[in-house]
Amino acid sequence: MTRAAAIDHADAFFASGGFRDRLSRRIAMPTESQNPERAGDLAGYLHAELQPAFESMGFACRTLTHPKARAPFLYAERIEDPALPTVLGYGHGDVIRGLDAEWHEGLSPWALTESEGRWYGRGIADNKGQHTVNMEALRSVLETRGKLGFNAKYLVEMGEETGSPGLRQLCEANRELFAADLLIASDGPRLRAERPTVFLGARGGLNFDMTIEAREGGHHSGNWGGLLSNPGIQLAHAIASIVSPTGQIRIPAWVPKELPASVRRVLADCEVDGGAEGPQIDPDWGEPGLTPAEQVYGWCSFEVLAFKTGNPETPVNAIPPRAWARCQLRFVVGVDTEDLLPALRRHLDRQGFPMVKLTLTRETMFKATRLDPDDPWVRWAVESLARTSGKKPAVLPNLGGSLPNDIFTEVLGLRTIWVPHSYPSCSQHAPNEHLPPELLREGLRLMAGLYWDLGAGEVPALERG
């Protein structure tokens, strides 16, 4: 059998409705990891849905647990020959809250519904649709060739949407079990819906609160205005000291010294475009001298996610006692992760804001990762996707968002290649999450070709100790 036959096999499965049926069943399972009442659904997704699917492909499965994790992990492996390349796959079956009441009329987060050429349902983009694509691509290669031609391992977690608790510790305790030559996984969006994309890591993410507690209770703004400090004003000035009026970061420790030449090269033909429903880019916002692609995929950004002082719903004539802001830094390789919050503390103290309290909002943070775009495995993957699609894939040094990719690079020491099967306007994490079915169909073809090539033997030299 041939490469084309495996791709056609995958395409025929999609055309038959088999892919939609399988994905519909998975979307119907309300696996909200933020909802304590969904513990049974989280475990059920692994044991009743994914484990039988892996076992039908000849994978041996086991359930793994860790005290930090609220739900179990599923590990599946198919070892054909230890001398062959070994690829680790990853996905997450948990989803963000359904927000049922906020979906358009006729749509539900827990039912795959087609409307105006789109498939709607919670998890279709993040991440049920994506790992279903990869699993069915593996199946197509198996059923065409009779074997994979490589060793496959797969790890599925049910807590990514709550920060992947326990995943790092699980990998630290099972390094030998998860040992592989590289990670191939799918999450996040393509650069544009019509352009196949590879990204090689992820920006790091640091979420923290800035708080000023000035005094107990509010005080009349007529009697005390001009005599008492206003925490809202102070916090606004503290935030303004961090970035310029046009969003340029003013803390040197928060940005890399430069953009590597290989990063600039691969981003030179990448155009950021959210499509007709995406927002318009503000051309004068952010670091001067960078293209939009370099801003998102090569640089750092600071955001204020929420700001509160006083009572916004029913304002009163009183000086508020407290001000609070939830803030976020997205950062790339080239900054010192351990110095991010200390650098902010030093900056605020120098600027005259020692009253601002800083608090991390998560126990751990996602660290920044980036595989060198010149790595031979990157060239191999790009050539495979181009051969299948007839298009030039976009190569992003890292995703603009954050993923637990640092666990795979730091703990397991893996090269990481991500092939996303979503697009920027998919409403991920919002009501009406959706994907165009043709994007999923193309993703299925791309991955069938990629896995076929991995098993064909024409791959970069393996580096094993």
Side-chain angles (χ1 to χ4, degrees), residues 18-35:
F19 182 90
R20 175 175 174 159
D21 291 345
R22 199 153 290 172
L23 182 55
S24 295
R25 195 169 60 242
R26 293 171 184 175
I27 286 174
M29 303 179 75
T31 52
E32 302 165 302
S33 55
Q34 312 86 35
N35 186 346

Side-chain angles (χ1 to χ4, degrees), residues 391-404:
K391 305 173 185 176
K392 182 182 180 182
V395 179
L396 306 179
N398 45 256
L399 185 68
S402 300
L403 291 168

Side-chain angles (χ1 to χ4, degrees), residues 11 43 122 132 159 187 211 259 264 301 340 347:
D11 196 68
R122 177 61 84 217
T132 298
D187 205 342
T211 311
L259 275 178
R264 285 190 180 275
S301 64
L340 294 177
H347 170 84

Side-chain angles (χ1 to χ4, degrees), residues 101 223 244 294 458:
N223 297 334
S244 73
E294 290 169 346
E458 297 179 5

Side-chain angles (χ1 to χ4, degrees), residues 195-198 269-270 381-386 389 391-395:
R195 190 173 183 189
T197 300
V198 170
D269 74 336
C270 293
V382 169
E383 289 169 2
S384 174
L385 300 182
S389 66
K391 305 173 185 176
K392 182 182 180 182
V395 179

Side-chain angles (χ1 to χ4, degrees), residues 365-426:
M365 75 174 91
F366 291 132
K367 297 182 181 179
T369 56
R370 177 195 294 153
L371 178 62
D372 187 346
D374 290 333
D375 188 276
W377 279 96
V378 177
R379 293 195 296 270
W380 168 82
V382 169
E383 289 169 2
S384 174
L385 300 182
R387 182 180 174 189
T388 303
S389 66
K391 305 173 185 176
K392 182 182 180 182
V395 179
L396 306 179
N398 45 256
L399 185 68
S402 300
L403 291 168
N405 196 57
D406 57 302
I407 298 172
F408 306 121
T409 59
E410 291 186 4
V411 177
L412 301 181
L414 299 179
R415 290 177 169 87
T416 57
I417 295 174
W418 295 77
V419 185
H421 310 313
S422 180
Y423 79 121
S425 297
C426 67

Side-chain angles (χ1 to χ4, degrees), residues 236-251 254-255 284-288 295 299-304 347:
H237 279 279
I239 292 171
S241 77
I242 297 172
V243 288
S244 73
T246 55
Q248 181 181 10
I249 293 175
R250 287 171 161 168
I251 302 176
W254 276 16
V255 295
D284 298 322
W285 187 261
E287 183 70 19
Q295 292 273 18
W299 208 250
C300 308
S301 64
F302 171 74
E303 306 295 343
V304 178
H347 170 84

